[in-house]
Amino acid sequence: MDIRAILMGLAFAVMWSSAFTSARIIVAAAPPLSALALRFLISGLLAVAIAWAMGQSWRLTRGQWRATIVFGVCQNALYLGLNFVAMQTVEASLAAIIASTMPLLVALAGWLFLGETLRPQALFGLVAGMAGVAIIMGARFGGGLDMVGVLFCVLGVIALTVATLSLRGATSGGNFMMVVGLQMLIGSAVLWVPALTLETVQIDWSASLIAAFVYTTLVPGLAATFVWVLLVNRIGAVRSATFHFLNPFLGVAIAAAFLGEALRPLDLLGVAVIAAGILAVQLAKIPATGRETVKN
């Protein structure tokens, strides 16, 4: 893994983790599904325009189209849609912690459904990661925790796991920015259905809402997705996912800094255990995949 890949991974981790804080600001003042559908519409059109300017084509391979559709529905519509709804009642830090377990679920799904070997180190990481989640959830049960919101976050991270497993097919063959734009437009199209059916548009306008919407549209929405696609293409999905071990720390820290969310001792312990579990799982998988070619 070269220095460029490391910097890309760190940038992605910061952008991905900050999305929960900006989303929390948005859903406190605007209908969540409508706001998210509009975000993806804007981000998707920008990405497609940039792709055209770069000479990229919407004529994707069959594998790219399949993976792009799955990714657009599972990550953008289901994962983020469920999380935006959940964060009306669930703290951004808790939503980030639950979402950060995705690499653990990817490893578990690979073992259960794809016949991948689960090495002892990876098994330890899975157990540690789930123990960390149990520590955090146990500490919050008596504090008015909204279990429906938590369930939405859990269902969302399962959808994110499916999206992640589909991503490799979307990165082959080039057209990276076009892939990013199309999967956003797919997510937007799916989200507009429940948004227009279930929500009434009532917005509490403020400078913080506008800033949060612009930020989440351009940074986590567009830049982070593009960086992630490039990173996976550069070093592979397994090594790229190693950077997710930073997300529990960053998600909690950013929410505390910008939203004033409490930093509980057991939360910090649980975050450390989850991060250690994610790192153990990913490090265990790297030798088994062989030396992946680094692309310039």
Side-chain angles (χ1 to χ4, degrees):
M1 189 182 300
D2 61 355
I3 186 65
R4 184 176 177 183
I6 292 173
L7 292 176
M8 290 169 63
L10 292 175
F12 166 77
V14 172
M15 291 187 288
W16 190 91
S17 301
S18 69
F20 297 91
T21 293
S22 58
R24 178 77 164 160
I25 296 172
I26 292 169
V27 301
L33 297 179
S34 298
L36 187 60
L38 180 60
R39 164 194 152 175
F40 281 133
L41 178 60
I42 296 172
S43 296
L45 291 175
L46 285 173
V48 169
I50 293 170
W52 274 334
M54 296 169 63
Q56 296 183 10
S57 171
W58 59 268
R59 293 183 177 86
L60 308 180
T61 66
R62 181 177 298 179
Q64 279 185 311
W65 271 117
R66 185 187 312 111
T68 299
I69 292 170
V70 172
F71 194 75
V73 173
C74 290
Q75 171 169 289
N76 295 339
L78 294 178
Y79 160 63
L80 284 172
L82 288 166
N83 270 269
F84 263 57
V85 172
M87 277 189 286
Q88 294 177 108
T89 56
V90 172
E91 289 185 336
S93 56
L94 181 57
I97 289 167
I98 294 173
S100 68
T101 62
M102 180 272 292
L104 303 175
L105 296 180
V106 168
L108 183 61
W111 176 52
L112 292 176
F113 304 113
L114 302 179
E116 296 179 359
T117 301
L118 198 62
R119 301 175 65 199
Q121 184 180 350
L123 180 60
F124 165 79
L126 284 173
V127 174
M130 297 310 169
V133 173
I135 291 171
I136 293 169
M137 298 299 291
R140 295 184 181 224
F141 265 124
L145 187 64
D146 177 28
M147 293 308 299
V148 174
V150 171
L151 176 61
F152 282 178
C153 288
V154 171
L155 293 175
V157 76
I158 292 173
L160 179 61
T161 300
V162 175
T164 301
L165 291 172
S166 76
L167 184 57
R168 182 180 291 273
T171 62
S172 60
N175 291 324
F176 304 125
M177 183 59 85
M178 185 64 73
V179 167
V180 169
L182 291 174
Q183 54 95 352
M184 287 179 178
L185 293 178
I186 290 168
S188 178
V190 174
L191 284 166
W192 278 120
V193 176
L196 295 175
T197 303
L198 302 175
E199 293 182 340
T200 300
V201 178
Q202 293 181 336
I203 303 174
D204 183 12
W205 291 102
S206 67
S208 60
L209 171 63
I210 295 172
F213 184 83
V214 172
Y215 175 83
T216 198
T217 299
L218 298 180
V219 181
L222 185 59
T225 304
F226 185 53
V227 169
W228 176 250
V229 170
L230 290 180
L231 185 64
V232 170
N233 187 66
R234 185 176 185 84
I235 63 175
V238 173
R239 293 187 179 185
S240 298
T242 305
F243 289 98
H244 278 285
F245 91 94
L246 296 170
N247 291 331
F249 291 106
L250 292 172
V252 170
I254 294 171
F258 289 93
L259 301 178
E261 294 186 2
L263 288 175
R264 304 169 182 86
L266 285 178
D267 284 351
L268 297 177
L269 174 61
V271 162
V273 174
I274 292 171
I278 293 170
L279 188 59
V281 167
Q282 295 309 127
L283 292 179
K285 292 178 71 175
I286 288 174
T289 63
R291 296 286 184 180
E292 297 182 62
T293 300
V294 176
K295 298 186 179 181
N296 296 316

